[in-house]
Amino acid sequence: MKLAVIPGDGIGPEVVSAAMRVVEATARRFSIDIEAKYVEAGDAALRKYGRAMPDDAWRVVDSADAVLKGPVGETAYDVTSAIRMKYVLYANIRPAKSLPGVPSVKPIDCVFVRENVEDVYVGAEYKVGDVAIALKVITGQGTRRVARMARRYAEMRRRKVTIVTKSNVLRVVDAFFRDVAKEELKGLEVEEMYVDAAAMELVRNPARFDVVLTTNQYGDILTDLAAQVAGSLGLAPSANIGDSKAMFEPVHGAAFDIAGKGIANPVATILSTALMFEWMGRNDAAAAVRRAVEEALRRGVATPDVGGRSTTEEVGKYIASLVENI
Ligand code: ATP
């Protein structure tokens, strides 16, 4: 598999380097062929080349099967959103799971499947005099394909999907998303919930959720909430999946406040590589990465944000050695 690696900005290069140790160890243990090519993209690339996504970066990403990306700073729109849109990475997968040794608000183990290329994020905004308008775009095709992704995850889990919308207010667009999604999810346990109720339930009783299917903007907001319920933004992985390519990245941003100090938590990026192995159909490798992460946390090998005393590099090395040895 050809993998484009974008270290990104801020803590990006540190967490990606730790995650690549784990990818290399996992590839060795499970005999997976991964050819990694590093790509300069983001704020640093903008300063150096005048563009956040130089032609060379596009060339490498174009010819790759998948992308592993660290967080990007101010130029996130030109890198992350541009890649999502160009390759139509329509499903954003964000698991939120309590982990051993990390205090969570309440036990949680769910997967968000967030529509990733439509909704108010299509960028159709206008201002006419004293009125500003943003268009919320939902298509049947876009809803069907993301609902099929939710089905795939539900079938690997407890076969339950919660569709989150605000269809009592947005009675055309949100009701359309809900109805089209329900059609695709026949045969599974499906519940509907309004986004405000879902926010409350995520804090009150997060264990009730298995797979949550929602539109772009609600998903954006709820997944940060869910990540914090699980324990920390530093632990939250994500995948952006399309029909021909996928990109894996931590949910958190570039965290410039702690960059270069060796204290960034690499677990979110490492767990993103588990999503990558799963996407490749290598559930054995994905499970080994997750087991190694959980074991490291159980043994207290962790960065300070989750109460440990290890550096980013130490955590990466430790998890990589566990992948090869447990
Ligand atoms: P963005 O605007 O791109 O989301 P940000 O810097 O405003 O970036 P984040 O980087 O997502 O927001 O995170 C906010 C804070 O959470 C950071 O300033 C940092 O202190 C902490 N944080 C985020 N990620 C990590 C991590 N991997 N390890 C440790 N702390 C983290």
Side-chain angles (χ1 to χ4, degrees), residues 23-325:
V23 168
E24 283 153 18
T26 311
R28 270 196 303 276
R29 157 116 194 249
F30 293 92
S31 306
I32 300 172
D33 183 29
I34 291 183
E35 188 194 322
K37 275 208 176 127
Y38 285 75
V39 179
E40 287 182 273
D43 296 3
L46 177 66
R47 282 193 297 272
K48 200 161 150 191
Y49 305 108
R51 282 172 61 195
M53 224 17 223
D55 288 345
D56 265 359
W58 279 122
R59 248 193 304 279
V60 176
V61 172
D62 261 337
S63 63
D65 302 298
V67 180
L68 176 66
K69 193 187 74 61
V72 171
E74 294 301 312
T75 52
Y77 192 82
D78 304 310
V79 179
T80 313
S81 304
I83 294 174
R84 280 182 189 156
M85 291 295 179
K86 179 167 183 195
Y87 303 106
V88 198
L89 307 182
Y90 57 80
N92 193 201
I93 312 298
R94 295 187 169 191
K97 186 173 188 289
S98 307
L99 290 166
V102 181
S104 34
V105 175
K106 298 241 174 81
I108 184 169
D109 180 6
C110 65
V111 174
F112 277 83
V113 178
R114 162 189 167 194
E115 201 292 319
N116 213 20
V117 292
E118 299 192 337
D119 200 343
V120 285
Y121 296 170
V122 294
E125 290 190 278
Y126 313 92
K127 191 157 178 301
V128 185
D130 199 36
V131 182
I133 300 164
L135 293 184
K136 175 162 185 166
V137 179
I138 301 286
T139 68
Q141 182 209 23
T143 307
R144 279 189 292 275
R145 64 193 175 192
V146 76
R148 282 196 290 272
M149 191 67 71
R151 166 182 282 283
R152 203 189 297 172
Y153 276 86
E155 285 172 349
M156 291 193 275
R157 298 169 53 91
R158 287 179 272 143
R159 301 183 62 84
K160 178 181 170 185
V161 181
T162 306
I163 304 173
V164 173
T165 65
K166 188 74 182 168
S167 57
N168 52 339
V169 176
L170 294 166
R171 286 182 289 181
V172 177
V173 276
D174 278 22
F176 182 53
F177 181 87
R178 179 201 61 199
D179 293 343
V180 172
K182 266 170 85 174
E183 205 43 47
E184 286 296 325
L185 296 170
K186 275 192 179 142
L188 299 172
E189 185 190 341
V190 175
E191 76 176 345
E192 299 165 29
M193 201 177 281
Y194 299 134
V195 62
D196 42 347
M200 184 190 72
E201 283 294 282
L202 271 170
V203 175
R204 200 178 69 89
N205 182 20
R208 68 176 288 156
F209 295 105
D210 183 22
V211 172
V212 181
L213 171 63
T214 191
T215 51
N216 205 342
Q217 189 178 34
Y218 305 145
D220 189 2
I221 298 164
L222 291 180
T223 52
D224 266 28
L225 172 61
Q228 204 51 51
V229 170
S232 161
L233 212 48
L235 303 170
S238 81
N240 301 266
I241 300 180
D243 285 332
S244 58
K245 218 186 271 297
M247 174 165 71
F248 304 88
E249 57 179 343
V251 169
H252 62 74
F256 289 106
D257 54 330
I258 56 166
K261 296 184 178 161
I263 56 169
N265 192 341
V267 166
T269 314
I270 293 170
L271 287 176
S272 302
T273 73
L275 289 169
M276 177 181 83
F277 287 117
E278 206 168 68
W279 171 78
M280 293 169 70
R282 295 306 301 260
N283 290 355
D284 50 353
V289 171
R290 293 191 179 115
R291 260 201 321 273
V293 165
E294 291 185 9
E295 192 54 32
L297 291 171
R298 203 173 284 122
R299 295 181 192 178
V301 180
T303 45
D305 57 305
V306 288
R309 283 193 301 191
S310 307
T311 64
T312 311
E313 194 182 352
E314 283 162 0
V315 173
K317 273 189 184 163
Y318 195 78
I319 293 172
S321 74
L322 284 177
V323 165
E324 291 197 277
N325 297 308

